[in-house]
Amino acid sequence: MRPLLTLMVFCTLWTFSLGARADLYTEVNALVQTSQWDKAQAMADAHLKTSPTDPQMRLLLSHIQTGQGQTQAAIATLRALTLSFPELPEPHNNLAALLARDHRLDEALVVLQAAIQARPDYALALENLGDLHLALAAQAYAKALAVLPSSTRLQNKKLATEQLMQSP
């Protein structure tokens, strides 16, 4: 089953020049990709002690928190990141994905719109917006079916929407 919205797993906010800084992000990201959460957390925390506003590391931290099942902490991290750097679409997109997974679809919609406003050609956010609209449609059809449970038309629309959401 395809997740409702897709988190950006590989951080590509900026390309850094050669040096230790770029290596740190690469190393933490590699740890994230291999689910070595404790090591990644330790490295991210150490870096953020000296550079607490670093947006790329804060984004990586949100991935670590998500991987550790700390969804509310990841949401808080991303929310703070979107406030500090509203021009970056990735934190908005990832926040929307977590909100949608938490069944907070209306909030996710507002946040995704901010991602698209920040970067109108951000394909992943546009795809997620489509997925979110499908989820909202399924939710609306379910509510309509609660009022009119015998409607075959509504049952068919709800089923078709749910099948689209589950397609690869």
Side-chain angles (χ1 to χ4, degrees), residues 74-97:
I75 287 172
T77 297
L78 290 167
R79 214 178 274 287
L81 189 52
T82 62
L83 291 173
S84 299
F85 299 94
E87 71 278 7
L88 299 177
E90 293 86 354
H92 290 285
N93 180 70
N94 291 2
L95 176 57

Side-chain angles (χ1 to χ4, degrees), residues 5-49:
L5 299 181
T6 307
L7 279 170
M8 186 178 87
V9 175
F10 185 74
C11 295
T12 56
L13 289 178
W14 302 274
T15 303
F16 288 92
S17 60
L18 295 175
R21 195 167 185 180
D23 292 340
L24 173 66
Y25 300 111
T26 302
E27 190 173 346
V28 172
N29 193 57
L31 292 169
V32 167
Q33 296 298 315
T34 57
S35 303
Q36 296 181 53
W37 307 119
D38 292 338
K39 287 181 184 178
Q41 175 86 50
M43 291 181 74
D45 287 345
H47 177 73
L48 289 170
K49 282 183 183 175

Side-chain angles (χ1 to χ4, degrees), residues 17 25 44 61 76 81 84 86 95 107 119 130 133 157 162:
S17 60
Y25 300 111
L61 176 62
L81 189 52
S84 299
L95 176 57
E107 287 179 72
R119 193 167 114 207
H133 281 296
K157 286 182 177 186
E162 288 170 347

Side-chain angles (χ1 to χ4, degrees), residues 142-164:
K143 287 178 183 178
L145 276 169
V147 175
L148 194 60
S150 63
S151 173
T152 304
R153 186 187 77 233
L154 287 173
Q155 290 171 0
N156 289 340
K157 286 182 177 186
K158 183 177 181 287
L159 180 62
T161 304
E162 288 170 347
Q163 287 173 343
L164 267 176

